[in-house]
Amino acid sequence: MGLSMLTATAQEVTKVAEPVEWVNTLMGTQSKYSLSTGNTYPAIALPWGMNFWMPQTGKMGDGWAYTYDSDKIRGFKQTHQPSPWINDYGQFAIMPTTGKLRFDQDERASWFSHKSEVAKPYYYKVYLADHDVTTEIAPTERAAALQFTFPQSEESRVVIDALDKGSYVKIIPGENKIIGYTTKNSGGVPANFKNYFVIQFDRPFANTAVWSGKNVVNNQLEVKDNHVGAVVGFLTKKGEKVYARVASSFISPEQAELNLKEIGKDDFATVKEKARKIWNQEMSRLTVEGGSVDQTRTFYSCLYRSMLFPRKFYELDASGKVMHYSPYNGQVLPGYMFTDNGFWDTFRAQFPFFNLMYPTMNGHIMEGLANAYKESGFLPEWASPGHRDCMIGSNSASLIADAYLKGARGFDINTLYEGILKNTQNEGPLSSVGRKGVKYYNELGYVPYDVKINENAARTLEYAYDDFTIYQLAKALKRPQTEIDLFAKRSQNYRNLFDPETKLMRGKNKDGKFQSPFNPFKWGDAFTEGNSWHYTWSVFHDVQGLADLMGGKKAFVNMLDSVFVVPPIFDDSYYGQVIHEIREMQIMNMGNYAHGNQPIQHMIYLYNYAGEPWKAQYWLREVMERMYKPTPDGYCGDEDNGQTSAWYVFSSLGFYPVCPGTDQYVVGTPLFKKATIQLENGKKVLITAPNNTDETRYIQSLNLNGKAYSKNWLSHDELMKGATLNFQMSTKPNQKRGTADADAPYSFSTAKK
């Protein structure tokens, strides 16, 4: 894995031959309801694969389906879970056992140890002590290979659990096969939702049983009920391997059989090797050198998480045509569909990451968004697999505008723009789609505090930013000038909530008076999973405008500094308890900076707009070094579908997309001595910082393509042509570089309209 390339003294990684081997899929799994260190699970998957697999330690239906501190595994589950808070769908479990017939999830469970566990993106292996069985799993996009190594036993079995809420199984002994379906889900599905599965074994069954609830159904090969499953038995010698190929489909049982062809006649080792190659191929587009072992592991573990969601929710029919079961209207339709993503989280860095690295795939995702709009009447904001009532904003506008403006094509931009416009005029059937409070926002320029719409200030700030992205897109699409002007004007609605007395954003009543009493440390209420100190910075598109409201750049920097200076005090009265996001801020020892949640994740970069970029460099390195570790407790809060990981990937390269919908990345501070970005168009971006160490966090100078470069931002278009960035790093800040007004990144207030 390249570890032999380490130098003994500094433990510096000089070459990464196989990036996937550096990934720790257990990073973030030591989580629980009260404290998230990622709220992740070890997804055995291909990049953006339709089906993931996981070892299941939690009880059926528990969102915390795999937790590092658990002792027992209950089964190996096909999963589509994007987050424990959203939970799962399209799920069923397989568990090898020995001894007497046991199929109940508690009775079949087995002790395991992390010492006999191998967890990689393309391969998982664990020893189940109570059964003396080793399980191995390797994925394809819609199928998986499972291999069980049994002891000598006349009672070796494999249990299939199709879970509750309506399921079906059928054993076909003549074909060594089990088929069935599962309907268990946690919302966002039409009435006809089913996940059809097929399990093909490599040998005949010595005995069979089907079960319903807690009872065996005698003399039957199939059963349909609330909670059913099957058990097939084998006579095994010590070390004998039983191989099962598994696939599923949201379309039909026949399509599940087609999806099984992804494995075809491949043996387990071949499936595993193909998956390893795919991960290495995709991850090798980004290589880093000259960091520590931990930094390299963290980088590739975050890169892995950045490449899981949104998942492909489409399938290929017999002729290879792209089809999908619509999670919006229940029909089988042509075209792309992706799902399992909350745009409130991922508009910030994950989708900009795709626009840099995977523009063709992001074009497919955009086509999927157009299909979602056509099939449901609204653009999705949190889909799993269909619309879910979760989070705020209408940030699909940011995704679509950023993709189009950065050159992604191959999708129906006119349909998407229609959907964006509809959002600006309508509330949706759920509060998360459309714009809740839209009439107030369009008439008053803000969503009032006192009209029974919670998180009103956060909604206002996000709608204003989204309106900026619509303004940018409207210009590119040559829309009528009146329309362009309208969204330009609305992008300034953030000003309506700025309180000059506290220099913070504050809820405002319908009568135009600020909400009172005001506690800037109060979480929730007018804000979303944060307080005013976190949300005040959500003016991505007009940082200079925000600085002007605060009294200019010095006052603005003083307010930025204050986030880290004030103690981690909080008011949790809105929630009535200390929610995990509050606790995660409190224990990180960075004042009121709450990197464990998304609203503030761009804030450190804002020093670049106010002529003090060295402060961004200091704090960014603090966050990278203290808040991310390649360990089970490695994140500082919910990882959230790749967003918190994409922050690290971008930041360690030395730049970050503060304002999607513009062409700019804001310069931070690179973490590695060298990074190479292999762009999809064949060009390369080479980033070098030869004297980079833990101590040299400050940029002394930056050369772009061989010329001195003082600006605090990089152009996407310039990077796409291929670029060489050379950083000279220093232990002391350079307080002259990047200080001129002309060095500041884009702000609406200062831009040529």
Side-chain angles (χ1 to χ4, degrees):
M1 75 189 253
L3 278 173
S4 59
M5 306 295 291
L6 303 185
T7 54
T9 46
Q11 284 287 291
E12 187 181 294
V13 181
T14 54
K15 185 163 188 240
V16 174
E18 298 207 19
V20 74
E21 302 300 345
W22 291 81
V23 174
N24 181 8
T25 64
L26 301 180
M27 180 174 167
T29 58
Q30 198 168 347
S31 296
K32 53 191 174 184
Y33 176 84
S34 59
L35 187 74
S36 171
T37 67
N39 267 335
T40 61
Y41 56 86
I44 309 148
L46 289 189
W48 307 289
M50 187 178 92
N51 298 334
F52 296 176
W53 283 80
M54 67 181 300
Q56 183 187 345
T57 62
K59 284 185 182 284
M60 180 174 68
D62 184 350
W64 283 262
Y66 177 97
T67 50
Y68 190 81
D69 290 337
S70 298
D71 303 313
K72 290 185 174 183
I73 285 176
R74 288 185 160 83
F76 301 91
K77 186 165 84 151
Q78 180 183 280
T79 179
H80 298 86
Q81 178 170 300
S83 142
W85 309 105
I86 292 287
N87 216 308
D88 209 351
Y89 67 92
Q91 52 187 318
F92 58 94
I94 297 178
M95 180 69 173
T97 66
T98 55
K100 65 175 191 186
L101 185 66
R102 288 172 288 183
F103 50 82
D104 173 82
Q105 62 172 341
D106 295 328
E107 291 172 16
R108 73 188 186 222
S110 169
W111 280 78
F112 80 108
S113 163
H114 298 298
K115 296 179 187 67
S116 58
E117 180 185 43
V118 177
K120 298 177 182 292
Y122 65 89
Y123 175 63
Y124 181 86
K125 176 183 180 181
V126 71
Y127 176 67
L128 302 170
D130 289 298
H131 305 300
D132 191 19
V133 175
T134 296
T135 296
E136 299 171 276
I137 307 175
T140 70
E141 285 192 339
R142 296 169 190 83
L146 281 75
Q147 185 165 268
F148 310 107
T149 305
F150 282 102
Q152 178 157 349
S153 173
E154 295 182 356
E155 296 181 305
S156 292
R157 311 178 198 276
V158 177
V159 178
I160 288 84
D161 189 339
L163 307 185
D164 61 355
K165 310 287 192 228
S167 48
Y168 166 77
V169 291
K170 179 180 184 181
I171 302 173
I172 309 171
E175 298 178 41
N176 312 332
K177 188 185 283 184
I178 301 170
I179 60 170
Y181 63 73
T182 172
T183 64
K184 188 175 178 65
N185 66 81
S186 47
V189 300
N192 69 344
F193 170 80
K194 288 183 178 70
N195 186 227
Y196 302 94
F197 59 80
V198 52
I199 307 166
Q200 177 74 61
F201 288 88
D202 66 346
R203 70 195 57 203
F205 309 136
N207 48 70
T208 62
V210 294
W211 52 274
S212 174
K214 294 203 176 290
N215 304 310
V216 171
V217 181
N218 291 320
N219 306 318
Q220 294 291 323
L221 288 171
E222 67 182 309
V223 60
K224 182 163 92 170
D225 209 339
N226 175 54
H227 182 189
V228 304
V231 187
V232 291
F234 306 94
L235 312 177
T236 57
K237 303 188 191 82
K238 182 172 170 57
E240 191 166 343
K241 291 174 165 55
V242 171
Y243 180 42
R245 294 174 298 130
V246 189
S248 75
S249 167
F250 296 101
I251 292 175
S252 68
E254 295 76 20
Q255 183 65 43
E257 295 276 2
L258 270 181
N259 293 346
L260 196 57
K261 289 185 175 173
E262 289 185 353
I263 297 180
K265 295 195 164 65
D266 288 352
D267 63 7
F268 183 83
T270 305
V271 177
K272 174 184 166 185
E273 179 58 17
K274 283 182 175 176
R276 185 182 71 85
K277 277 188 174 156
I278 288 168
W279 273 110
N280 274 329
Q281 183 186 334
E282 294 291 3
M283 291 185 128
S284 292
R285 296 193 191 194
L286 257 181
T287 53
V288 292
E289 301 163 40
S292 69
V293 173
D294 272 7
Q295 287 166 340
T296 308
R297 284 183 173 146
T298 303
F299 180 85
Y300 285 110
S301 299
C302 285
L303 185 56
Y304 152 75
R305 293 270 165 211
S306 303
M307 295 165 64
L308 290 174
F309 300 102
R311 80 172 67 254
K312 296 173 178 176
F313 199 78
Y314 63 86
E315 306 175 48
L316 305 174
D317 71 8
S319 63
K321 196 168 149 212
V322 174
M323 308 286 291
H324 65 273
Y325 165 81
S326 172
Y328 300 100
N329 65 19
Q331 296 172 32
V332 176
L333 297 162
Y336 289 105
M337 182 61 64
F338 290 75
T339 192
D340 289 331
N341 213 265
F343 298 160
W344 181 84
D345 303 290
T346 54
F347 83 82
R348 302 160 197 270
Q350 169 139 41
F351 280 92
F353 178 68
F354 297 159
N355 285 323
L356 179 66
M357 299 299 301
Y358 299 98
T360 299
M361 190 199 65
N362 210 32
H364 295 163
I365 294 172
M366 293 304 123
E367 189 60 22
L369 286 185
N371 288 332
Y373 172 67
K374 288 188 275 198
E375 290 158 28
S376 75
F378 280 91
L379 289 163
E381 305 294 340
W382 225 127
S384 182
H387 294 306
R388 299 293 287 275
D389 207 356
C390 186
M391 307 313 292
I392 65 153
S394 56
N395 296 309
S396 52
S398 172
L399 264 68
I400 294 160
D402 197 48
Y404 189 80
L405 293 165
K406 285 180 180 159
R409 292 295 183 269
F411 53 92
D412 183 352
I413 188 63
N414 294 321
T415 294
L416 287 173
Y417 191 78
E418 178 191 309
I420 288 172
L421 283 187
K422 184 174 179 180
N423 275 353
T424 67
Q425 294 153 358
N426 293 278
E427 293 196 348
L430 310 169
S431 72
S432 60
V433 298
R435 289 187 177 183
K436 193 166 175 62
V438 68
K439 283 201 170 82
Y440 293 112
Y441 176 81
N442 289 352
E443 283 167 23
L444 302 173
Y446 62 96
V447 181
Y449 180 84
D450 57 347
V451 294
K452 295 191 167 55
I453 296 175
N454 63 356
E455 305 171 38
N456 38 78
R459 292 180 198 277
T460 300
L461 292 170
E462 291 195 25
Y463 296 165
Y465 159 68
D466 291 323
D467 285 337
F468 164 78
T469 68
I470 300 168
Y471 155 75
Q472 291 281 77
L473 183 57
K475 284 192 296 180
L477 295 176
K478 299 186 168 49
R479 300 288 299 178
Q481 192 61 43
T482 50
E483 191 170 291
I484 293 168
D485 293 343
L486 173 68
F487 290 109
K489 180 169 179 277
R490 284 183 182 168
S491 80
Q492 297 300 291
N493 282 341
Y494 71 89
R495 296 171 180 273
N496 296 329
L497 296 190
F498 183 79
D499 171 21
E501 188 188 335
T502 60
K503 297 187 179 171
L504 292 165
M505 295 295 176
R506 181 171 174 179
K508 188 178 263 187
N509 291 330
K510 198 177 166 190
D511 65 5
K513 292 184 181 138
F514 280 115
Q515 160 265 327
S516 186
F518 173 57
N519 179 356
F521 299 105
K522 185 176 186 180
W523 281 61
D525 198 24
F527 300 99
T528 301
E529 292 181 6
N531 61 34
S532 179
W533 276 108
H534 305 145
Y535 246 98
T536 291
W537 316 106
S538 291
V539 187
F540 311 92
H541 56 294
D542 197 10
V543 178
Q544 185 58 53
L546 179 61
D548 292 343
L549 290 175
M550 288 183 178
K553 287 181 177 176
K554 284 278 173 239
F556 180 73
V557 166
N558 187 46
M559 289 297 284
L560 287 169
D561 291 345
S562 301
V563 172
F564 302 106
V565 172
V566 296
I569 49 180
F570 57 85
D571 172 354
D572 65 355
S573 59
Y574 174 76
Y575 298 107
Q577 61 174 347
V578 180
I579 60 171
H580 75 95
E581 290 93 346
I582 294 177
R583 186 70 73 218
E584 286 140 22
M585 174 197 79
Q586 185 199 20
I587 63 178
M588 284 304 156
N589 191 22
M590 248 189 222
N592 237 267
Y593 181 74
H595 192 80
N597 211 17
Q598 281 68 36
I600 207 167
Q601 285 180 352
H602 68 293
M603 170 227 136
I604 294 174
Y605 283 93
L606 302 189
Y607 285 109
N608 283 286
Y609 294 72
E612 298 193 25
W614 58 90
K615 287 188 174 174
Q617 293 154 26
Y618 172 83
W619 285 113
L620 288 168
R621 198 64 82 82
E622 286 292 295
V623 173
M624 284 189 268
E625 288 176 4
R626 285 167 49 187
M627 306 246 178
Y628 291 82
K629 303 281 182 203
T631 54
D633 65 345
Y635 291 101
C636 55
D638 282 354
E639 194 282 325
D640 282 327
N641 302 135
Q643 165 57 28
T644 298
S645 293
W647 184 96
Y648 185 91
V649 171
F650 265 123
S651 294
S652 59
L653 295 174
F655 55 91
Y656 184 81
V658 167
C659 184
T662 67
D663 174 55
Q664 294 182 0
Y665 303 98
V666 179
V667 173
T669 177
L671 189 61
F672 296 93
K673 283 188 166 71
K674 184 179 176 187
T676 309
I677 304 172
Q678 182 67 60
L679 297 171
E680 194 176 83
N681 64 12
K683 308 283 191 197
K684 271 187 187 169
V685 178
L686 181 64
I687 302 160
T688 60
N691 64 332
N692 216 352
T693 66
D694 288 348
E695 286 72 45
T696 57
R697 60 178 65 184
Y698 298 107
I699 298 171
Q700 187 62 34
S701 65
L702 169 58
N703 279 12
L704 173 62
N705 298 332
K707 293 177 187 160
Y709 189 76
S710 67
K711 293 184 167 49
N712 296 329
W713 54 272
L714 301 164
S715 148
H716 176 81
D717 279 353
E718 286 299 312
L719 292 184
M720 294 313 273
K721 292 172 189 164
T724 302
L725 298 160
N726 180 254
F727 291 89
Q728 285 301 315
M729 307 302 290
S730 171
T731 55
K732 295 189 173 63
N734 178 351
Q735 300 195 354
K736 293 186 175 148
R737 190 198 164 275
T739 56
D741 288 351
D743 294 329
Y746 175 95
S747 283
F748 179 88
S749 292
T750 52
K752 292 190 179 83
K753 302 298 182 289

